Amino acid sequence: MREPDLFIDGWRLHSGEQYHAAAPDTFLIPPRMARQNLWPGYLAKLIFEIHVDNDEDPCRVERMWVIVRELTKEGYLGILDNNPYCIEENDELWSGIELPFGPHHIIAIEVPDERSVKIADSTPIRRWPPEIA
């Protein structure tokens, strides 16, 4: 399964592990074991880079929550649980879409609650696109 791509999808994910490696004393992330052992309903905070229509600053970075929906061999499929601030409502990157991510992307974790488990069990408003040929 391919990861989101800035040029294909208009957004991509940053590696929380890379941020942590660059500033280990100030950019803290959960232990790798915790990030590898999530199940449906868990919330994972990820760093999104989003293309915007602005010549001076064409990309914005936002931290948003994703609800784990399914485990995959690469990591997880989740449902976005936030709306980005830097773009208008759309079908590509908005609350309720499905997206893939891995343990290396995760910067924070929240335990499941009744609401998140229900969302994890629901059908996303848009499934993650298949591989591009």
Side-chain angles (χ1 to χ4, degrees):
M1 180 178 317
R2 74 174 178 83
E3 289 192 7
D5 180 272
L6 189 61
F7 299 103
I8 296 170
D9 304 302
W11 60 278
R12 67 179 171 185
L13 297 172
H14 285 207
S15 169
E17 289 179 354
Q18 288 180 350
Y19 279 78
H20 175 69
D25 295 331
T26 56
F27 196 93
L28 304 177
I29 61 175
R32 178 94 177 156
M33 184 65 97
R35 292 180 282 122
Q36 289 177 318
N37 290 296
L38 305 182
W39 63 78
Y42 265 86
L43 288 97
K45 187 176 272 188
L46 312 178
I47 301 172
F48 291 75
E49 181 178 0
I50 304 166
H51 176 76
V52 294
D53 293 325
N54 181 333
D55 292 337
E56 291 180 24
D57 187 11
C59 293
R60 296 285 198 289
V61 175
E62 293 191 29
R63 298 175 188 196
M64 295 189 285
W65 289 101
V66 174
I67 297 171
V68 174
R69 185 169 178 278
E70 180 182 323
L71 284 64
T72 68
K73 65 180 182 175
E74 295 90 6
Y76 306 101
L77 275 173
I79 296 179
L80 184 60
D81 196 39
N82 287 121
N83 294 324
Y85 289 108
C86 66
I87 56 176
E88 296 203 15
E89 186 171 350
N90 63 79
D91 294 335
E92 302 299 316
L93 183 63
W94 208 254
S95 183
I97 65 132
E98 182 178 66
L99 61 112
F101 64 99
H104 63 286
H105 294 119
I106 299 170
I107 62 169
I109 297 169
E110 289 288 327
V111 296
D113 60 20
E114 188 175 319
R115 178 188 156 283
S116 68
V117 170
K118 184 176 180 180
I119 291 172
D121 198 33
S122 69
T123 301
I125 62 170
R126 184 180 63 87
R127 296 242 182 223
W128 180 244
E131 296 293 326
I132 294 176

